[in-house]
Amino acid sequence: MKYIRFAAMTLLLGITGMGVTAERNCPGTIQNSYECSQYLERELAKDFPGLFSREGPRVTVALANGRKKTYVDIPDEKNDGVGGAWFNIVRHYAQIGYAVVAVQYYEGGTHYFLNLTTGADNNIVGTPVVSPDGRRIAVANVDLEAGYTPNVLAVFKLQPDGLVEEYRVTPEDWGAGDLNWVNNGEI
């Protein structure tokens, strides 16, 4: 009986962790990507208060191995912000032990996929969508007009020591968006 209760609780926690992450979006009143990242970070801090802390330009993530991973905003007043970078924790995938860090540049940006055990991060360009079995992520990014970030469609396999890229296409004249997994092997 206690094993059934444990399994039910584990399933419920997994679904809850996935639901909070998957459904959190910016309200329609926020049109700026950096303001959206700030909003998502504030909301994530409420949902997972022990995950990270922010002190001014410094955001520090608590890792499962007891260490900390810190990102520090890089303002660039001398060049009107052109060389700057600003970091926000915007997603938490508790069921697979990863978080997403949005990196905003003066023009454009990217996303890091942060391993919450090791602190290793990978530049994945867009926001990931986790496969139903939690063993892969798919990433898409579309920037056809401004051209500040690449158009990308990629799939990565999650390994204990990091991500392994299984597929990537970077088209010039089209881009994928709104990805959904049909099953564990099909997007």
Side-chain angles (χ1 to χ4, degrees):
M1 183 65 159
K2 75 178 183 181
Y3 295 113
I4 293 171
R5 223 175 317 168
F6 174 75
M9 182 65 109
T10 302
L11 179 63
L12 182 60
L13 286 173
I15 290 169
T16 303
M18 187 181 300
V20 168
T21 301
E23 294 176 18
R24 179 79 67 199
N25 292 308
C26 288
T29 56
I30 298 177
Q31 300 296 314
N32 177 288
S33 61
Y34 180 55
E35 290 175 6
C36 180
S37 293
Q38 292 174 313
Y39 169 83
L40 291 173
E41 183 178 272
R42 284 190 304 272
E43 293 302 306
L44 198 60
K46 295 174 192 173
D47 295 335
F48 300 98
L51 178 63
F52 66 92
S53 62
R54 173 164 294 277
E55 293 179 29
R58 179 181 309 266
V59 62
T60 302
V61 182
L63 303 174
N65 65 10
R67 295 184 175 169
K68 296 182 185 299
K69 176 77 171 193
T70 301
Y71 298 92
V72 180
D73 294 344
I74 305 166
D76 186 16
E77 291 87 7
K78 293 180 182 178
N79 296 311
D80 294 323
V82 174
W86 295 266
F87 302 89
N88 293 98
I89 310 300
V90 296
R91 299 271 191 261
H92 178 222
Y93 298 95
Q95 71 278 19
I96 59 172
Y98 278 84
V100 176
V101 181
V103 184
Q104 179 71 45
Y105 302 126
Y106 179 73
E107 295 288 356
T110 194
H111 291 82
Y112 295 163
F113 202 49
L114 173 62
N115 184 314
L116 293 173
T117 299
T118 66
D121 56 19
N122 296 88
N123 185 344
I124 58 170
V125 183
T127 303
V129 179
V130 180
S131 66
D133 65 2
R135 297 179 60 198
R136 288 181 172 76
I137 61 167
V139 178
N141 188 68
V142 181
D143 186 359
L144 296 172
E145 292 179 30
Y148 293 117
T149 58
N151 299 316
V152 172
L153 175 59
V155 176
F156 298 89
K157 186 172 186 177
L158 302 173
Q159 300 284 10
D161 59 342
L163 298 180
V164 175
E165 188 174 288
E166 294 183 315
Y167 176 81
R168 176 181 290 264
V169 63
T170 53
E172 295 290 324
D173 56 352
W174 65 273
D178 297 326
L179 298 180
N180 286 306
W181 286 90
V182 177
N183 56 48
N184 291 320
E186 190 177 0
I187 302 170

